[in-house]
Amino acid sequence: MIILITGASHTGKTALAQKLLEKYKYPYLSIDHLKMGLIRSGNTELTPLSDDSALTEYLWPIVREMIKTAIENKQNLIVEGCYIPFNWQEDFDKEYLDHIKYYCLVMSENYIRNHFDDIKKFASVIEKRIDDDCSVDGLLQDNSQVLNLCKKHTVNYVLIDDEYKINIDL
């Protein structure tokens, strides 16, 4: 089984991947780690500050083929990161799609406004953020955009509203 976890920044993608790793013993791939490895090794001229669409265009073909390889080898894998395109399903035949579950994490305006301090507090729970310029306005904009894209592409999303409770059973 392949589990794809995406969403806006600060929605808990990495924390959820870690939780699933501990529960199901499925390894996970952080697309951010792949991104930084490719950038630091000089295999791309992109930078961590490059446009998300340029990073997605560069990273997704690599990640997509890793997913196919894992499925072909009957391996479980969790893939998390914000560089999964909303039309990801178009890149897989049915034989692959049957082995992929997709979750996009989205925080509601209500949650962001009422829990901003918690969002900031948990921002580095798994990975240590060096420069975190998280703001209420930025989170509101990012999550609104992600929610609209989820609806436009009719993909599965998990809306975080009153409290932060995400339970994914495989």
Side-chain angles (χ1 to χ4, degrees):
M1 179 62 56
I2 306 298
I3 310 300
L4 301 180
I5 303 171
T6 192
S9 180
H10 292 79
T11 53
K13 299 177 294 292
T14 306
L16 178 58
Q18 180 70 34
K19 182 178 170 183
L20 293 173
L21 174 143
E22 292 168 5
K23 183 174 182 179
Y24 295 105
K25 310 299 186 231
Y26 288 12
Y28 78 83
L29 167 70
S30 166
I31 302 175
D32 278 340
H33 290 177
L34 176 63
K35 171 186 78 175
M36 292 309 299
L38 291 164
I39 290 170
R40 288 180 172 174
S41 66
N43 282 291
T44 180
E45 293 186 17
L46 295 169
T47 72
L49 301 176
S50 293
D51 180 71
D52 279 357
S53 61
L55 286 162
T56 299
E57 185 178 314
Y58 178 70
L59 293 166
W60 178 244
I62 298 166
V63 172
R64 176 191 67 219
E65 297 308 315
M66 293 172 74
I67 291 167
K68 288 178 181 178
T69 301
I71 291 169
E72 290 161 359
N73 288 312
K74 298 181 179 12
Q75 296 171 309
N76 299 314
L77 181 63
I78 301 162
V79 178
E80 68 87 9
C82 59
Y83 305 108
I84 300 171
F86 288 92
N87 64 343
W88 67 272
Q89 294 175 327
E90 295 173 8
D91 291 332
F92 297 97
D93 294 333
K94 183 176 178 352
E95 67 190 72
Y96 293 107
L97 289 172
D98 289 343
H99 300 277
I100 302 173
K101 291 189 177 191
Y102 172 95
Y103 302 92
C104 185
L105 307 183
V106 182
M107 292 178 177
S108 71
E109 178 178 350
N110 175 60
Y111 185 83
I112 293 167
R113 292 196 186 281
N114 292 325
H115 298 278
F116 182 70
D117 290 339
D118 291 331
I119 295 167
K120 289 283 286 185
K121 182 171 80 175
F122 290 107
S124 292
V125 71
I126 300 294
E127 56 190 7
K128 305 303 174 221
R129 295 175 187 260
I130 295 169
D131 183 23
D132 191 10
D133 62 350
C134 177
S135 69
V136 170
D137 288 340
L139 288 175
L140 289 171
Q141 181 180 353
D142 288 350
N143 281 272
S144 175
Q145 180 181 19
V146 167
L147 181 59
N148 288 336
L149 288 167
C150 285
K151 290 177 179 179
K152 176 182 175 183
H153 293 276
T154 60
V155 295
N156 185 37
Y157 63 91
V158 177
L159 186 64
I160 303 156
D161 191 26
D162 292 328
E163 60 182 325
Y164 195 98
K165 262 194 172 170
I166 299 176
N167 221 3
I168 293 178
D169 291 317
L170 305 180

